[in-house]
Each structure stands twice: as structure tokens, then as C-alpha cells.
Amino acid sequence: MLPAAPGPAAEADAVLEAGEGEPCPTVPAGQKLIALTFDDGPHPVCTKELLDGLRERNVKASFFLLGENIPGNEQLIRQMKEDGHLIGTHCYRHVDLTKEDAETAISMIRKTNREIEAVTGEEPVYIRPPYGKWNGQLEDSLDMTPVLWDIDTLDWK
């Protein structure tokens, strides 16, 4: 459930839509999809309301979590998993990973992955880098698929 844009994110679209690592046979090739993705959580109030609303409507979304927001919000993450949402990594803190030295950036990503895995039992395979900043050095060092976007809703403003 990611934006259907050219490149790695488009390939991830079909994979996530199928939910099993296989392209979704019900989505015609070239069809544009829209994805609900949420970054920066979990938040103890907003994420709970969001999850409840998604559950009521039987809608699936992708959540990219900040590691520093995980402690104390484990039940929300368990609800994400139980409800069938994709859970990925945003980073440990909301920083431009390309401005950090590679070792620090990789360490923050891996720390977040471990925290998510401790709650869900599964290591995340998707990363939504803060600010959409990603580079080849990070990609070469991590076995994760970066999830970028091509439309910024400017909702953060």
C-alpha cells in the first residue's frame, strides 16, 4: 500500500498490496494506487484514534515508526500488527540520514528495527527515511527496501 511511482517504491506497491511478498494479481499492471502511510508514530492518543478509525472501515495502512516513540506504546504496535497493517521503520529520531555519518545512521535504523521486532516478532523490511533522504551507501549496508513518495501533502506544515 505505497504510492505507485517509478522505481523501488512501485515494485513494493504490488508486494505490499498482496501482503505476501508476491505481486497482487488483482491489480492491473500500470494501474496507479494510493497508499495510506503514517510516519513519526506511534503517538499514544492520535495513533489509537487512527487505528480505531481504520479498523471500523476495514482499511489497511502502512506505519513507519520512530524508535524513540516505541517505549510505552507497545500495545498500539501490537494492534497495528493484529489489524494487518504494515509496520516499517522511519528511524530512531527524525533526522536527515544522509547528514549523519553512515555508521550512526545505520545504528539508529538497526536499533529501531530491533525495538519493532521485540514487539511484533518480525524485523521490518521497509524503511521510510525521514525527509525522503536516502543514499546508495545506506541501501548497500541495509537489507531494507526504501519507501519514498512523489507527492508531499505538506500536512506537516
Side-chain angles (χ1 to χ4, degrees):
M1 297 178 38
L2 302 171
E11 294 164 14
D13 263 0
V15 171
L16 294 181
E17 192 67 25
E20 300 174 346
E22 296 291 328
C24 184
T26 60
V27 178
Q31 180 178 347
K32 292 191 177 217
L33 302 174
I34 216 167
L36 294 176
T37 63
F38 301 93
D39 301 345
D40 302 341
H43 182 276
V45 176
C46 298
T47 302
K48 176 67 174 142
E49 291 176 6
L50 177 60
L51 286 169
D52 291 346
L54 292 170
R55 181 183 278 174
E56 285 174 22
R57 293 161 180 84
N58 195 31
V59 172
K60 303 301 180 215
S62 300
F63 290 85
F64 295 93
L65 309 181
L66 285 175
E68 68 182 357
N69 291 341
I70 292 173
N73 291 306
E74 293 85 355
Q75 183 54 40
L76 292 172
I77 299 167
R78 284 190 280 277
Q79 183 180 345
M80 286 174 193
K81 181 177 178 171
E82 289 167 13
D83 289 354
H85 302 292
L86 180 133
I87 302 171
T89 296
H90 199 35
C91 192
Y92 194 79
R93 294 184 336 272
H94 201 279
V95 297
D96 179 341
L97 294 169
T98 63
K99 291 185 178 175
E100 301 288 328
D101 67 81
E103 186 177 312
T104 300
I106 291 164
S107 175
M108 287 191 291
I109 293 165
R110 288 186 175 147
K111 181 176 182 180
T112 304
N113 288 353
R114 285 191 304 273
E115 291 193 16
I116 292 171
E117 184 175 17
V119 177
T120 66
E122 297 177 17
E123 184 176 0
V125 295
Y126 295 98
I127 181 164
R128 177 97 173 233
Y131 309 105
K133 301 293 182 116
W134 191 247
N135 62 36
Q137 186 175 11
L138 294 171
E139 191 153 357
D140 291 344
S141 299
L142 296 161
D143 190 21
M144 298 185 79
T145 300
V147 178
L148 306 174
W149 57 93
D150 59 354
I151 298 173
D152 187 345
T153 61
L154 304 177
D155 59 322
W156 47 270
K157 285 186 171 183

